[in-house]
Amino acid sequence: MWHDVKALNASASGLFALSVLACVVAGVWWVANRPVFDLRAIRVETMDKSEFKHVNHLTLRNGTQGRLLGNFFTADLEQVRKVFESVPWVRRASVRREWPNQLIVSLEEHEALGTWGEDGRLLSVKGDVFTANLAEAEEDHELPEFSGPDGSEKEVLARYGELKNWFAPASLIPKGVALSGRYAWTVKLDNGASVALGREATHDTLHQRVQRLVGIWPQISSRVPNIETIDMRYQNGLALSAAGLKIPSDTKKR
């Protein structure tokens, strides 16, 4: 080999190329780590340009402090996104770089519709279950109560919207919707009554039962005060209970 001029030239060229590449890499690394590229600011904005209701400087600082690493070049944007999405009330985040030393973080905030289950979680208007300060969520008004099997959140949310429309002719407002493990529906109304609607045998079953109750509600409410429960799972009737009153029925439930 030592007498092969071509081989020697090729080896020399290869070594020179490696040296140049190493110098370039070292140079890039040196430049990328200059103080000028240290992150000077992380600007936070809303995705829809509206005002934040619950996300604020304090919650962001407490949720991200010590967890954002790197500079303009080395910061892992995916990791930064995950850090911000772990902050209470943040539903979604996107991150981009802005030359030469800034990150822009766009956030979408959860909007609480009601509580979910019995462990203090919240249900958003988009059907997401999340954890946040319940007192903050209820600072404007008391929230409706929702519950159901895992994975049923969006189904319960959709049913709540239907029930509000169905009960509206009787000026009744659902304040809670529960779906049992056997997929039976129960509605708590704003007057304190709990209405058992049962399972949905057909796509019209629940609607028909609510319509039947709404149709006779004026007569029932005028004659029976302090109604506590109403059972609509009867084919041609209903059963109800009130403080100090029980009305049995021999009709078979479905």
Side-chain angles (χ1 to χ4, degrees):
M1 173 182 175
W2 301 111
H3 300 289
D4 190 336
V5 176
K6 290 184 178 181
L8 287 173
N9 288 337
S11 298
S13 298
L15 290 173
F16 178 75
L18 288 175
S19 299
V20 171
L21 179 61
C23 290
V24 171
V25 171
V28 170
W29 182 88
W30 183 84
V31 171
N33 284 277
R34 291 303 85 202
V36 68
F37 298 117
D38 290 344
L39 291 176
R40 303 293 183 184
I42 298 177
R43 194 171 80 229
V44 177
E45 58 188 26
T46 60
M47 288 186 175
D48 58 2
K49 309 304 179 184
S50 63
E51 294 289 331
F52 286 123
K53 185 174 182 179
H54 298 289
V55 175
N56 54 49
H57 175 74
L58 181 61
T59 59
L60 290 174
R61 186 186 65 183
N62 291 341
T64 63
Q65 193 168 29
R67 301 174 63 191
L68 302 177
L69 307 176
N71 63 14
F72 178 81
F73 291 106
T74 61
D76 184 340
L77 298 190
E78 179 65 12
Q79 181 60 28
V80 173
R81 180 187 66 79
K82 291 180 180 179
V83 168
F84 275 93
E85 288 183 349
S86 69
V87 174
W89 289 103
V90 174
R91 179 176 186 265
R92 187 163 58 97
S94 66
V95 186
R96 69 180 188 276
R97 307 179 203 271
E98 185 169 280
W99 182 265
N101 51 22
Q102 188 171 215
L103 296 181
I104 310 299
V105 181
S106 299
L107 301 180
E108 180 184 356
E109 189 177 40
H110 281 296
E111 182 181 348
L113 175 65
T115 62
W116 180 264
E118 299 179 353
D119 55 1
R121 291 182 297 168
L122 297 167
L123 180 69
S124 79
V125 296
K126 294 188 176 181
D128 300 318
V129 173
F130 65 102
T131 301
N133 189 322
L134 182 59
E136 292 180 9
E138 292 187 319
E139 60 186 7
D140 295 329
H141 56 83
E142 185 178 357
L143 296 177
E145 300 174 352
F146 302 99
S147 64
D150 291 343
S152 67
E153 297 87 358
K154 287 181 171 55
E155 182 180 0
V156 172
L157 176 62
R159 181 66 70 200
Y160 173 67
E162 293 175 333
L163 289 166
K164 285 199 299 183
N165 292 331
W166 296 346
F167 278 104
S171 298
L172 295 171
I173 302 173
K175 300 298 289 184
V177 178
L179 179 61
S180 74
R182 299 181 65 248
Y183 282 82
W185 295 89
T186 302
V187 184
K188 183 178 180 180
L189 299 175
D190 60 331
N191 62 4
S194 177
V195 182
L197 295 175
R199 288 180 288 182
E200 191 171 18
T202 70
H203 73 281
D204 284 333
T205 301
L206 301 188
H207 190 192
Q208 290 173 355
R209 289 175 179 176
V210 173
Q211 283 184 314
R212 183 152 45 91
L213 175 59
V214 167
I216 60 175
W217 179 252
Q219 292 87 346
I220 294 176
S221 59
S222 64
R223 297 178 182 179
V224 183
N226 304 317
I227 297 175
E228 295 176 343
T229 66
I230 305 172
D231 193 339
M232 298 301 300
R233 296 173 294 173
Y234 294 86
Q235 185 172 2
N236 297 308
L238 59 85
L240 61 81
S241 67
L245 173 69
K246 298 290 183 181
I247 301 180
S249 174
D250 296 328
T251 309
K252 186 179 180 181
K253 293 180 183 179
R254 291 197 304 170

